[in-house]
Amino acid sequence: MRNRKRTGWHRFINGVTISTTVTVIFILLPLYWLIASSFKSPNDVGTTQLFPSPISGANYSNAFVGYDFGIYFRNSLVVTLVTTALVLILGTLAGYALGRLPMRGKFTTMVTLLIISVFPEVAVIAPLYLLERDLNLLNSYPALILPYTAFFLPFAIWILRNYMLGIPKEMEETGRIDGAGPLRTVWSIVLPQALPGLFTAGIFTFTACWTEFLMALTFDNSNNFRTIPVGIADFGGNFQVPYGTIFAASVVAVVPIGLLVFIFRKFVVSGLTSGAVKG
Amino acid sequence: MATVSLDKLNKVYENGFHAVKDLSVDIADGEFMVLVGPSGCGKTTALRMIAGLEDITSGVLRIGGKEANDETPKERDIAMVFQNYALYPHMTVAENIGFALKLRKLPKNELDAKVKEAADILGLTDWLDRKPGQLSGGQRQRVAMGRAIVRSPSVFLMDEPLSNLDAKLRVQMRAEVQRIQRRIGVATVYVTHDQVEAMTMGDRVTVLRAGVLQQVDTPQNLYDYPDNVFVAAFIGSPAQNLYDAAVTEGARSIKLGSQEIPLPDAVRTKRPALVSYAGKDVVVGMRPEHLPAAKPGETGPTLVGDVNLIEALGSELVVHFTIDANRVIAEGALDKDEAEAVGKGEGVARVEAKTPVKVGDRMTFGIDIEDMQFFDTQTGLAIRG
């Protein structure tokens, strides 16, 4: 039997490499098509051109100048960042309490949260609309921030609670003996170790808010408070769909999420607690 | 530096479990006190009460002569090393060691100097910039120690700090922990379930069982003069051979199964109370090393047993034998599996390595009769006075 080490490009020919490549291409192709099309001149969009030539920024300028994409981007950013911050702060406190503190009814609370988090949005949107109308909240940032926080918090609490559970109790006790108060303990000892959980919950919440459509359409439909998904959907008029502009706007919309995941990927996957205890 | 005094400490948990019962122990300044007992005996609970991590149900705890029941762990000025070390994984070794000092707002240069000094004592200087994840088990253990000594606390508390290390490292760290403790000279309470650790490390040892204090004494006294059957069975490895026996008229001999072992005058002079047990049952204890192989023509008291297992340790043979007397297993002294593994009438002797003996032999052991221990069958207390 020949047992020669394969050299050159031959060593890349094996089942794993090939199936991985095919899968990656399958997933990335639509994304490539989106990006490539966004850089085509408006007339070339929709043709079978593989590479944009000439490369054109017309779609991008159209999105920002011809439509109010800048405003939508700002709205999305405000709503998403405030919601994510709220969810993480409340989620950390709740997660710590549910994971660590001696409390009655922890199980019931967790199950209730789970039920809420799987509740279909569409089922509550009508009463929520009436409620927001009566409270004069429609067409404002809180109109989205409040329901988003309510909807995405349960999931974040679950993730954070599970992280808190995984942190050895002795570590907090060591903190107490070292002379740290409860807040200091959470800030200096618990939070740094719950970072992967915080990032996971944060990215989830960020993405969910950034792409949410139904509530955004229902509660904030005035031009000044529209978020990106609603804004993009409203591009164009009755008789034409400006695909190039939509593609350009979509690319810009994807950038923050891509950046976020790229920067924090390490934290999300790595187990930061390694070495704390015997293992 | 301070003394620690426990005065009738009790701990009753919310669910009604009485973990520590009327525990009274005084620990001198600089003393190395070991709390030992089988798992679930309340030793860790006692330690956590001293640390302030667990409320005291009743009784008085004094640290440095001052009542400390209601003080926070910080106010008690104690340092604690946990079984799993509980290092902060996101901080470097230096930050771990210096965390408590940082909380006290010590100036940076002073803090650095203290951390360096502690690292020197523990041989951690080269690892100060590493994270705990990059250290070996022994190094992590030392960081945990460093975190405790850097604060110069008045009391040192350790909860099974060596049980996560492998056997060889454990022996090495045993010596190191003692060396460090001597060097800083701080009163230390050390919890372990390992009686070998207790014997080798403690200035004195406190033996607990089911939350109740059994005996406090130096390791040698615990070994030679156990107060009750439990201590006799728990301390020592291999465990002491304990059998039911009957004392004959005038306590001139005891009946061990079908064998009658004469008791010389010296035994009765040492334990006058034994005479009053004439005609009654007692529990007798013989350490494995007090059962040497009988010399040819042995004239003293002997014990004959059927050999069923021989462990050759090189320096000696550990001979397992059975006799037809009832073996006494003190409840809790051995863990359940161990207790079940001890066969009926089984005993252990340590004999010279060159003794010619093989499995199946009927072997005669000499008995160092003056070292034999006697206990009341009902109360389990030692018969001495």
Side-chain angles (χ1 to χ4, degrees), chain A residues 102 104 167-181 184-185 187-193 195 271-279, chain B residues 48 51-54 73-74 78-80 82-91 96 99-105 132-134 140 147 151 164-165:
Chain A
R104 276 171 191 276
I167 300 170
K169 229 185 174 114
E170 287 87 350
M171 213 163 291
E172 286 168 55
E173 292 177 341
T174 308
R176 272 171 72 192
I177 290 174
D178 278 348
R184 180 80 198 214
T185 308
W187 182 252
S188 298
I189 298 168
V190 177
L191 269 192
Q193 292 175 69
L195 273 185
L272 265 181
T273 44
S274 67
V277 294
K278 197 210 174 188
Chain B
R48 290 170 60 87
L53 297 171
E54 210 79 68
K74 184 184 169 186
I78 43 125
M80 185 156 171
F82 289 87
Q83 178 172 5
N84 62 9
Y85 318 144
L87 303 179
Y88 309 128
H90 54 288
M91 300 186 194
N96 260 292
F99 185 67
L101 300 179
K102 197 172 138 198
L103 290 181
R104 289 188 193 170
K105 311 231 163 22
Q134 297 163 292
R140 285 180 206 172
R147 210 161 53 171
R151 300 167 36 194
N164 273 349
L165 303 175

XYZ file of all heavy atoms in Angstrom, chain A residues 102 104 167-181 184-185 187-193 195 271-279, chain B residues 48 51-54 73-74 78-80 82-91 96 99-105 132-134 140 147 151 164-165:
569
model
N -30.900 33.371 47.235
C -31.946 32.494 47.764
C -33.299 33.190 47.613
O -33.520 34.242 48.174
C -31.567 32.356 49.245
C -30.734 33.540 49.561
C -30.087 33.999 48.289
N -37.729 32.563 46.672
C -38.834 31.654 46.421
C -39.281 31.813 44.974
O -39.144 32.886 44.392
C -40.021 32.000 47.321
C -39.931 31.409 48.691
C -41.030 32.000 49.563
N -40.804 31.637 50.961
C -41.196 30.475 51.480
N -41.830 29.602 50.735
N -40.952 30.204 52.749
N -20.676 29.959 37.457
C -19.555 30.574 38.175
C -19.511 30.012 39.585
O -20.490 30.058 40.308
C -19.728 32.104 38.227
C -19.774 32.660 36.801
C -18.601 32.742 39.017
C -20.178 34.102 36.741
N -18.372 29.438 39.981
C -18.318 28.798 41.293
C -18.663 29.789 42.409
O -18.191 30.914 42.412
C -16.857 28.364 41.417
C -16.314 28.383 40.044
C -17.104 29.371 39.272
N -19.463 29.298 43.327
C -19.902 30.120 44.451
C -18.719 30.593 45.299
O -18.723 31.686 45.835
C -20.838 29.283 45.320
C -22.106 29.978 45.660
C -22.937 29.133 46.616
C -24.139 29.923 47.044
N -25.387 29.410 46.611
N -17.723 29.724 45.388
C -16.567 30.058 46.224
C -15.913 31.350 45.775
O -15.297 32.042 46.569
C -15.524 28.935 46.183
C -15.910 27.696 46.951
C -16.733 26.752 46.107
O -17.150 27.152 44.995
O -16.959 25.615 46.558
N -16.052 31.628 44.470
C -15.392 32.816 43.962
C -16.001 34.068 44.567
O -15.301 35.004 44.920
C -15.530 32.821 42.460
C -14.343 33.428 41.803
S -14.324 32.983 40.128
C -13.972 31.290 40.189
N -17.331 34.051 44.712
C -17.972 35.191 45.344
C -17.653 35.233 46.827
O -17.494 36.291 47.420
C -19.484 35.105 45.164
C -19.913 35.424 43.752
C -21.347 35.043 43.531
O -22.205 35.494 44.291
O -21.609 34.246 42.605
N -17.554 34.044 47.417
C -17.233 34.006 48.845
C -15.824 34.522 49.087
O -15.570 35.242 50.041
C -17.392 32.574 49.369
C -18.856 32.154 49.361
C -19.066 30.724 49.793
O -18.094 29.949 49.767
O -20.209 30.388 50.143
N -14.905 34.148 48.196
C -13.559 34.692 48.287
C -13.619 36.211 48.206
O -12.933 36.908 48.954
C -12.686 34.156 47.135
O -12.791 32.748 47.126
C -11.254 34.546 47.313
N -14.461 36.702 47.315
C -14.620 38.142 47.179
C -15.091 38.769 48.481
O -14.550 39.785 48.921
N -16.055 38.122 49.104
C -16.565 38.655 50.379
C -15.478 38.683 51.436
O -15.333 39.634 52.198
C -17.715 37.780 50.879
C -19.064 38.199 50.339
C -20.111 37.185 50.673
N -20.467 37.191 52.088
C -21.200 36.240 52.656
N -21.648 35.241 51.926
N -21.485 36.288 53.934
N -14.702 37.597 51.472
C -13.630 37.527 52.464
C -12.555 38.561 52.143
O -11.990 39.187 53.040
C -13.044 36.104 52.509
C -14.078 35.172 53.126
C -11.755 36.065 53.299
C -13.696 33.723 53.108
N -12.307 38.766 50.861
C -11.341 39.791 50.461
C -11.845 41.192 50.778
O -11.095 42.157 50.675
C -11.055 39.693 48.955
C -10.017 38.619 48.654
O -9.387 38.141 49.599
O -9.844 38.267 47.471
N -13.124 41.295 51.099
C -13.640 42.581 51.518
C -14.434 43.316 50.458
O -14.573 44.528 50.521
N -14.943 42.612 49.462
C -15.729 43.263 48.425
C -17.199 43.247 48.804
O -17.713 42.232 49.243
C -15.531 42.551 47.092
N -17.876 44.393 48.620
C -19.315 44.454 48.871
C -20.058 43.762 47.742
O -19.445 43.368 46.759
N -19.597 45.423 44.267
C -18.219 45.228 43.826
C -18.003 43.783 43.380
O -17.317 43.510 42.396
C -17.275 45.567 44.993
C -15.824 45.396 44.675
C -15.341 46.593 43.899
N -14.100 46.287 43.213
C -13.129 47.174 43.025
N -13.258 48.396 43.446
N -12.039 46.824 42.405
N -18.609 42.854 44.119
C -18.466 41.446 43.756
C -19.047 41.186 42.376
O -18.416 40.549 41.543
C -19.191 40.565 44.793
O -18.730 40.925 46.084
C -18.912 39.100 44.544
N -19.576 43.371 39.984
C -18.868 44.134 38.970
C -17.478 43.547 38.671
O -17.115 43.353 37.524
C -18.756 45.593 39.413
C -18.076 46.461 38.407
C -16.830 46.999 38.493
C -18.591 46.868 37.143
N -16.547 47.714 37.363
C -17.608 47.648 36.510
C -19.804 46.637 36.467
C -17.778 48.203 35.249
C -19.972 47.185 35.210
C -18.968 47.963 34.612
N -16.711 43.250 39.736
C -15.314 42.850 39.516
C -15.123 41.350 39.361
O -14.120 40.908 38.823
C -14.437 43.304 40.690
O -14.435 44.680 40.801
N -16.042 40.571 39.893
C -15.804 39.133 39.892
C -16.810 38.391 39.019
O -16.429 37.569 38.194
C -15.841 38.588 41.342
C -14.721 39.235 42.145
C -15.704 37.072 41.345
C -14.821 39.012 43.624
N -18.090 38.704 39.193
C -19.094 37.930 38.452
C -19.171 38.364 36.991
O -19.084 37.545 36.082
C -20.479 38.065 39.122
C -21.525 37.333 38.314
C -20.419 37.515 40.535
N -19.284 39.683 36.771
C -19.473 40.154 35.396
C -18.346 39.758 34.446
O -18.609 39.267 33.348
C -19.679 41.664 35.378
C -21.128 42.127 35.475
C -21.236 43.604 35.149
C -22.013 41.331 34.531
N -17.074 39.946 34.853
C -16.008 39.570 33.912
C -16.106 38.117 33.472
O -15.721 37.771 32.366
C -14.731 39.814 34.707
C -15.103 40.799 35.739
C -16.534 40.531 36.084
N -16.634 37.279 34.349
C -16.728 35.878 33.983
C -18.004 35.557 33.235
O -18.111 34.513 32.595
C -16.649 35.026 35.230
C -15.277 35.126 35.827
C -15.211 34.405 37.116
O -15.286 33.189 37.125
N -15.121 35.133 38.192
N -18.952 37.446 30.867
C -18.801 38.152 29.590
C -19.296 37.353 28.375
O -20.018 37.895 27.550
C -17.344 38.566 29.382
C -16.945 39.913 29.996
C -15.517 40.257 29.608
C -17.877 41.015 29.551
N -14.435 29.841 26.457
C -14.827 29.693 27.845
C -13.874 30.491 28.701
O -12.751 30.095 28.953
N -14.329 31.648 29.145
C -13.425 32.531 29.876
C -13.101 32.018 31.273
O -12.160 32.456 31.905
C -14.060 33.914 30.002
C -13.651 34.927 28.941
C -14.323 36.236 29.196
C -12.141 35.111 28.971
N -13.905 31.095 31.752
C -13.716 30.675 33.132
C -12.615 29.638 33.288
O -12.375 29.157 34.373
C -15.017 30.077 33.696
O -15.550 29.228 32.705
C -16.000 31.148 34.055
N -11.948 29.293 32.207
C -10.964 28.227 32.314
C -9.891 28.582 33.337
O -9.410 29.699 33.378
C -10.319 27.977 30.955
O -9.549 29.104 30.611
N -9.547 27.614 34.155
C -8.460 27.830 35.100
C -8.891 28.387 36.430
O -8.087 28.514 37.340
N -10.149 28.725 36.566
C -10.607 29.282 37.832
C -10.579 28.223 38.913
O -10.110 28.432 40.009
C -12.022 29.811 37.695
N -11.073 27.074 38.562
C -11.099 25.984 39.508
C -10.386 24.823 38.859
O -9.986 24.893 37.715
C -12.539 25.591 39.870
C -13.203 26.720 40.602
C -13.307 25.241 38.639
N -10.259 23.765 39.587
C -9.574 22.623 39.026
C -10.285 22.129 37.770
O -11.492 22.047 37.734
C -9.559 21.493 40.055
C -8.526 20.497 39.673
C -8.859 19.115 40.117
C -7.800 18.263 39.516
N -7.900 16.910 39.584
N -9.533 21.840 36.754
C -10.217 21.369 35.567
C -9.221 20.915 34.531
O -8.044 21.111 34.669
N -16.840 27.450 57.937
C -17.559 28.555 57.298
C -18.200 29.476 58.330
O -18.409 30.656 58.075
C -18.605 28.007 56.324
C -17.967 27.370 55.081
C -18.991 26.626 54.259
N -20.036 27.512 53.807
C -19.970 28.220 52.679
N -18.933 28.111 51.905
N -20.946 29.009 52.334
N -15.484 31.689 59.293
C -15.197 32.634 58.213
C -16.247 33.727 58.113
O -15.989 34.794 57.585
C -15.100 31.891 56.884
N -17.459 33.422 58.614
C -18.534 34.397 58.481
C -19.338 34.184 57.218
O -20.103 35.049 56.798
N -19.170 33.049 56.583
C -19.949 32.742 55.382
C -21.244 32.037 55.757
O -22.124 31.850 54.928
C -19.141 31.852 54.430
C -17.865 32.473 53.872
C -17.053 31.446 53.124
C -18.212 33.643 52.974
N -21.332 31.639 57.007
C -22.488 30.892 57.478
C -22.887 31.523 58.813
O -22.026 31.808 59.635
C -22.066 29.436 57.690
C -23.125 28.408 57.486
C -23.388 28.086 56.028
O -22.514 27.497 55.356
O -24.466 28.423 55.573
N -17.215 38.902 57.097
C -15.933 38.232 56.865
C -14.774 39.226 56.829
O -13.688 38.952 57.333
C -16.123 37.588 55.494
C -17.583 37.401 55.352
C -18.222 38.519 56.114
N -15.036 40.387 56.251
C -13.999 41.407 56.123
C -13.549 41.883 57.500
O -12.360 41.997 57.775
C -14.586 42.565 55.315
C -13.619 43.665 54.993
C -14.371 44.783 54.289
C -13.509 46.016 54.180
N -14.274 47.130 53.627
N -9.950 37.571 58.320
C -9.520 36.201 58.095
C -9.181 36.026 56.612
O -9.563 36.828 55.788
C -10.638 35.208 58.457
C -11.959 35.750 57.927
C -10.748 35.008 59.939
C -12.679 34.852 57.064
N -8.440 34.994 56.312
C -8.193 34.653 54.914
C -8.559 33.194 54.744
O -8.388 32.397 55.668
C -6.740 34.875 54.552
N -9.078 32.855 53.592
C -9.552 31.488 53.410
C -9.070 30.923 52.080
O -9.079 31.608 51.065
C -11.080 31.464 53.479
C -11.684 30.092 53.422
S -13.310 30.087 54.191
C -13.893 28.471 53.754
N -9.934 27.898 49.455
C -10.996 26.944 49.171
C -10.458 25.706 48.469
O -9.405 25.735 47.843
C -12.055 27.590 48.272
C -12.883 28.620 48.968
C -12.457 29.939 49.035
C -14.075 28.277 49.564
C -13.213 30.894 49.677
C -14.839 29.226 50.203
C -14.413 30.534 50.262
N -11.253 24.665 48.553
C -10.884 23.401 47.922
C -10.627 23.556 46.429
O -9.674 23.019 45.902
C -12.002 22.389 48.144
C -11.735 21.053 47.486
C -12.765 20.027 47.880
O -13.728 20.326 48.564
N -12.555 18.808 47.455
N -11.478 24.319 45.749
C -11.280 24.478 44.302
C -10.526 25.758 43.967
O -10.581 26.235 42.853
C -12.608 24.399 43.568
C -13.554 25.495 43.979
O -13.163 26.419 44.687
N -14.788 25.432 43.551
N -9.860 26.333 44.965
C -9.016 27.539 44.823
C -9.794 28.810 44.590
O -9.457 29.842 45.124
C -7.966 27.399 43.710
C -7.296 26.052 43.671
C -6.935 25.459 42.477
C -7.044 25.350 44.844
C -6.339 24.218 42.444
C -6.455 24.114 44.822
C -6.108 23.543 43.620
O -5.537 22.315 43.590
N -10.853 28.733 43.720
C -11.660 29.922 43.434
C -10.807 31.112 43.050
O -11.000 32.212 43.547
C -12.568 30.256 44.627
N -9.837 30.908 42.175
C -9.060 32.040 41.663
C -9.937 32.817 40.691
O -10.840 32.254 40.083
C -7.814 31.537 40.932
C -6.877 30.662 41.751
C -5.706 30.220 40.898
C -6.390 31.402 42.971
N -9.628 34.110 40.547
C -10.362 34.898 39.560
C -9.721 34.658 38.201
O -8.597 35.092 37.963
C -10.325 36.374 39.918
C -10.725 36.675 41.343
C -9.918 37.435 42.170
C -11.918 36.180 41.866
C -10.280 37.718 43.482
C -12.289 36.454 43.163
C -11.469 37.220 43.975
O -11.829 37.487 45.260
N -10.423 33.995 37.292
C -9.785 33.561 36.046
C -9.445 34.712 35.104
O -8.600 34.569 34.240
C -10.830 32.644 35.410
C -12.113 33.059 36.011
C -11.818 33.571 37.372
N -10.113 35.852 35.297
C -9.871 36.959 34.368
C -8.749 37.870 34.851
O -8.445 38.857 34.223
C -11.152 37.755 34.178
C -11.748 38.229 35.486
N -12.364 37.367 36.365
C -11.787 39.441 36.055
C -12.780 38.052 37.409
N -12.440 39.298 37.262
N -8.163 37.537 36.004
C -7.079 38.371 36.514
C -5.767 37.590 36.465
O -5.757 36.374 36.562
C -7.350 38.754 37.973
C -8.618 39.518 38.200
S -8.694 40.033 39.921
C -10.402 40.520 40.055
N -4.685 38.639 41.135
C -5.372 37.753 42.065
C -4.870 37.953 43.480
O -5.643 38.098 44.417
C -5.144 36.300 41.655
C -6.316 35.724 40.891
O -7.386 35.523 41.446
N -6.115 35.481 39.618
N -5.762 41.506 44.906
C -7.143 42.002 44.856
C -7.632 42.552 46.202
O -8.189 43.648 46.272
C -8.079 40.900 44.349
C -9.493 41.347 44.142
C -9.808 42.251 43.149
C -10.517 40.853 44.941
C -11.116 42.665 42.943
C -11.827 41.268 44.747
C -12.123 42.172 43.746
N -7.372 41.791 47.256
C -7.848 42.221 48.577
C -7.178 43.536 48.981
O -7.811 44.406 49.589
C -7.575 41.152 49.621
N -5.897 43.674 48.650
C -5.183 44.901 49.007
C -5.701 46.081 48.185
O -5.795 47.197 48.673
C -3.683 44.721 48.768
C -3.023 43.603 49.574
C -1.541 43.511 49.238
C -3.222 43.829 51.062
N -6.059 45.783 46.933
C -6.595 46.827 46.073
C -7.918 47.337 46.650
O -8.194 48.527 46.653
C -6.816 46.250 44.674
C -6.967 47.291 43.600
C -6.971 46.627 42.234
C -8.038 47.264 41.371
N -8.382 46.410 40.225
N -8.724 46.396 47.164
C -9.995 46.803 47.766
C -9.760 47.670 48.992
O -10.591 48.478 49.352
C -10.815 45.567 48.162
C -11.395 44.733 47.033
C -12.180 43.568 47.599
C -12.283 45.580 46.142
N -8.621 47.467 49.639
C -8.320 48.289 50.817
C -7.681 49.604 50.435
O -7.211 50.353 51.283
C -7.346 47.543 51.730
C -7.953 46.366 52.435
C -6.943 45.860 53.420
N -7.291 44.559 53.929
C -6.467 43.831 54.657
N -5.261 44.282 54.939
N -6.849 42.660 55.107
N -7.590 49.838 49.132
C -7.042 51.093 48.618
C -5.601 51.315 49.068
O -5.205 52.413 49.431
C -7.910 52.277 49.046
C -9.389 52.096 48.789
C -9.943 53.286 48.041
C -11.281 53.054 47.384
N -12.139 52.016 47.832
N -4.619 32.342 35.663
C -4.716 31.024 36.321
C -4.841 29.859 35.348
O -4.342 28.774 35.610
C -5.989 31.156 37.168
C -6.111 32.607 37.435
C -5.551 33.313 36.234
N -5.488 30.096 34.208
C -5.676 29.033 33.231
C -4.381 28.476 32.687
O -4.333 27.370 32.173
N -3.291 29.267 32.799
C -2.017 28.824 32.243
C -1.148 28.137 33.283
O 0.009 27.835 33.019
C -1.261 30.037 31.679
C -1.989 30.717 30.535
C -1.441 32.099 30.284
O -1.592 33.003 31.098
N -0.785 32.276 29.157
N -1.568 26.799 40.908
C -2.847 27.433 41.259
C -3.057 27.394 42.761
O -3.521 28.343 43.374
C -4.004 26.704 40.590
C -4.097 27.016 39.138
C -5.263 26.277 38.542
N -5.017 26.058 37.127
C -5.776 25.311 36.353
N -6.820 24.710 36.864
N -5.498 25.155 35.090
N -2.890 34.521 47.839
C -3.982 35.456 48.020
C -4.326 35.584 49.500
O -4.760 36.627 49.961
C -5.193 34.932 47.248
C -6.076 35.992 46.769
C -6.953 35.498 45.671
N -7.684 34.293 46.056
C -8.660 33.780 45.310
N -8.997 34.353 44.186
N -9.277 32.695 45.675
N -2.377 39.311 52.746
C -3.100 40.271 53.576
C -2.655 40.257 55.009
O -3.173 41.011 55.820
C -4.591 39.941 53.536
C -5.166 39.998 52.160
C -6.527 39.361 52.115
N -7.252 39.622 53.354
C -8.331 38.983 53.709
N -8.817 38.046 52.941
N -8.930 39.269 54.833
N -7.561 18.467 45.678
C -7.645 18.430 44.219
C -6.314 18.080 43.561
O -6.223 18.031 42.347
C -8.119 19.776 43.683
C -9.631 19.859 43.656
O -10.301 18.850 43.846
N -10.154 21.029 43.428
N -5.273 17.893 44.363
C -3.960 17.611 43.785
C -3.744 16.111 43.697
O -4.349 15.338 44.433
C -2.866 18.230 44.665
C -2.985 19.734 44.886
C -1.923 20.203 45.862
C -2.857 20.479 43.565
